Amino acid sequence: MKLARLTAIAALGLTALGGAALPATAAPTVTATTTVVSPQSRADDAINWFAARNGSTAYQGYCEKAVENAYGTTGVYASAIANWNDAVRRGAAHKGDTNPPKGALVFWNISSYGHVGVATGDGNFWATSVSGAIGKRALPYFSNYLGWAQPNF
C-alpha cells in the first residue's frame, strides 16, 4: 500500500516536470545479494596476511593478536593457550597432529601464554617469533607442540 502511494506520488512529480508518468502499478525491483566467504578463502586471506608481513617484528609477543588480525578480528582470546584450552573444551582440538589443513591454527606450549600460528596446509605454518619475526617454517619447529584446531572466530 505504501509503495503504491509512493509510486503514484513519483508519477505525479514526473508529470508536473513535463515528463511521462509511470503506471501506478510499476514498482522498483529490489534484488538482495549475500556474499558468502568460503573457509578456504578465509584461510588464504589469513596466510596472505602473514606473508605480507614476513620479517616484521611488530607482533613480537602478540601471536594470538596476529592470528586474530589475520582472520579479520581481534580481542577474542586473551592468549594462545586460552584459545587452545577452548578448542580442547569444545572437542575441536587435534592433539599432537602435525598435519593440519590450510588455515588451521597450530599451537605450542612454550610459555604461560602459549604460542599460535596459521597452517599453510603443506606441513608449514606462519607465526610470530620465527627467528625473532613473522616467518614461515615447517611443523613442529618450536618445542612442546600441542596440535591444531580450526579458528573459532
Side-chain angles (χ1 to χ4, degrees), residues 30-101:
V30 178
T31 305
T33 58
T34 303
T35 303
V36 177
V37 179
S38 73
Q40 199 59 54
S41 174
R42 289 188 73 224
D44 289 338
D45 289 348
I47 290 165
N48 290 336
W49 185 95
F50 271 96
R53 290 159 181 79
N54 188 25
S56 171
T57 58
Y59 284 84
Q60 284 304 98
Y62 298 100
C63 60
E64 179 64 29
K65 182 178 181 178
V67 298
E68 289 184 19
N69 286 184
Y71 272 98
T73 191
T74 195
V76 178
Y77 293 100
S79 66
I81 204 69
N83 191 340
W84 172 253
N85 288 338
D86 182 55
V88 170
R89 182 190 56 75
R90 291 181 293 109
H94 298 262
K95 295 178 181 180
D97 184 348
T98 57
N99 191 30

Side-chain angles (χ1 to χ4, degrees), residues 114-149:
H115 191 61
V116 62
V118 176
T120 58
D122 60 0
N124 295 298
F125 70 95
W126 283 97
T128 63
S129 302
V130 174
S131 298
I134 288 177
K136 181 180 175 183
R137 291 293 188 273
L139 283 167
Y141 185 71
F142 300 107
S143 60
N144 301 316
Y145 178 71
L146 294 170
W148 65 270

